[in-house]
Amino acid sequence: MYLGFDTSNYTTSVALFDGKKATQVKRLLNVKSGERGLRQSDAVFQHTVNIPELLSELPQNDINIKAVGVSTRPRNVDGSYMPCFLVGKANASSVSRFSNVPLYETSHQIGHVLAALYSCDKLDLINERFIAFHVSGGTTEALLVEPDDEEIIKATTVACSTDLKAGQAIDRAGVMMGLKFPCGKELDRLSLLSNQEYKIKPSMNGLNCSLSGVENKARKMYENGETKEDISKFVLSYISLSLIEMTKRIIDEYSDMPLVFAGGVMSNTLIKKDIKSIYNAYFASPEFSCDNAAGTAIYAYLKDR
């Protein structure tokens, strides 16, 4: 078995991978009503409490840990750092030393990509070039992913949102309407109840998009008394069309390659349906699209082969 840890800004998760099947348990961090996020000190405290409890929920019988994987930073670039990942690193290091097995460190982003590939039964894509979108509360990026002898895969950002991230836009609109943070699932549900159709022109600068306009427009709609259902559909439609336009421009620039979509935002019903209607893309199932430790367990497996 390969054990994985991930302590992101809003989810604690641990996972086991046996080379074929991933088993994971996770827990969302508590965010006070009306708040749009957590201080890092609060996230660190909650992760510290959660990990022992989650480990006790994993299968306990006949477990032989061969290696441990952990996300220690948001992305594999210089300066990428968040204190919340220190909790996962500390626990992973302790297991590694006590069990005398290798410890493999990677980024939260690489974990997302590997979990998505596993969920789509496309782990073989690690041997070729493809485009992966990582779309979440902290990231809205398109990545050129290539094989890498040292890191299994190397992800280079080729396009991004230049301001607000997709998950931020969703959560800010949701909290404004009185929804509980994180707001993705509730906006998803509400959007499916709207019959409105919106003509939206994405704000683009080359391959990059801008999403700050969606927050401003959603606030005006709310102040004008428009329904939560219609506001939710507008916000998600805006993000969907922005991602579609980014994809089109990336394909024009880098040629047609396999497309993989990961990150919590990509489990949204409307966004997924819109993109699939145009592109033959791969999407992770919701449990492997949102933050999870399965990707770090898979990373340890791939590094240990």
Side-chain angles (χ1 to χ4, degrees), residues 210-223:
S210 168
L211 296 175
S212 59
V214 69
E215 181 184 13
N216 299 330
K217 175 63 176 177
R219 183 179 296 109
K220 290 180 181 179
M221 293 173 71
Y222 184 69
E223 292 171 350

Side-chain angles (χ1 to χ4, degrees), residues 207-242:
L207 304 183
N208 299 325
C209 73
S210 168
L211 296 175
S212 59
V214 69
E215 181 184 13
N216 299 330
K217 175 63 176 177
R219 183 179 296 109
K220 290 180 181 179
M221 293 173 71
Y222 184 69
E223 292 171 350
N224 291 336
E226 298 194 39
T227 68
K228 293 180 181 180
E229 290 82 1
D230 289 346
I231 296 171
S232 298
K233 187 169 184 181
F234 171 78
V235 169
L236 295 176
S237 297
Y238 194 108
I239 293 169
S240 175
L241 290 171
S242 297

Side-chain angles (χ1 to χ4, degrees), residues 137-165:
T139 305
T140 299
E141 294 181 340
L143 311 166
L144 175 61
V145 183
E146 302 171 285
D148 185 86
D149 292 338
E150 181 65 26
E151 284 292 328
I152 305 299
I153 53 174
K154 176 184 178 182
T156 304
T157 302
V158 295
C160 65
S161 171
T162 57
D163 40 45
L164 203 62
K165 311 311 177 190

Side-chain angles (χ1 to χ4, degrees), residues 230-256:
D230 289 346
I231 296 171
S232 298
K233 187 169 184 181
F234 171 78
V235 169
L236 295 176
S237 297
Y238 194 108
I239 293 169
S240 175
L241 290 171
S242 297
L243 294 175
I244 287 171
E245 183 62 25
M246 286 176 72
T247 303
K248 177 182 177 298
R249 296 186 182 205
I250 290 167
I251 290 173
D252 289 344
E253 179 79 14
Y254 289 93
S255 77
D256 197 3

Side-chain angles (χ1 to χ4, degrees), residues 64-129:
N64 177 25
I65 302 298
K66 291 195 65 179
V68 183
V70 61
S71 54
T72 60
R73 54 203 178 277
R75 300 162 59 222
N76 277 348
V77 295
D78 291 341
S80 183
Y81 168 77
M82 289 182 77
C84 57
F85 289 103
L86 294 175
V87 182
K89 182 177 181 179
N91 280 272
S93 298
S94 298
V95 173
S96 169
R97 290 175 183 175
F98 184 79
S99 303
N100 194 29
V101 297
L103 173 66
Y104 298 108
E105 299 180 7
T106 188
S107 69
H108 178 71
Q109 187 170 75
I110 293 298
H112 260 301
V113 175
L114 291 176
L117 294 179
Y118 161 77
S119 176
C120 303
D121 195 25
K122 287 292 178 181
L123 272 175
D124 58 316
L125 283 181
I126 64 172
N127 300 310
E128 58 184 280
R129 299 170 87 229

Side-chain angles (χ1 to χ4, degrees), residues 11-84:
T11 304
T12 314
S13 57
V14 293
L16 287 170
F17 183 63
D18 64 4
K20 294 182 179 179
K21 181 181 178 181
T23 302
Q24 65 176 346
V25 288
K26 61 172 72 176
R27 184 174 299 172
L28 282 174
L29 304 187
N30 293 317
V31 178
K32 292 180 180 179
S33 178
E35 297 285 332
R36 300 193 303 193
L38 276 175
R39 292 181 301 179
Q40 282 291 295
S41 58
D42 293 333
V44 166
F45 174 77
Q46 292 191 48
H47 284 314
T48 303
V49 172
N50 289 345
I51 281 185
E53 297 176 359
L54 293 177
L55 283 171
S56 69
E57 297 178 22
L58 286 174
Q60 304 293 314
N61 296 328
D62 300 323
I63 299 298
N64 177 25
I65 302 298
K66 291 195 65 179
V68 183
V70 61
S71 54
T72 60
R73 54 203 178 277
R75 300 162 59 222
N76 277 348
V77 295
D78 291 341
S80 183
Y81 168 77
M82 289 182 77
C84 57

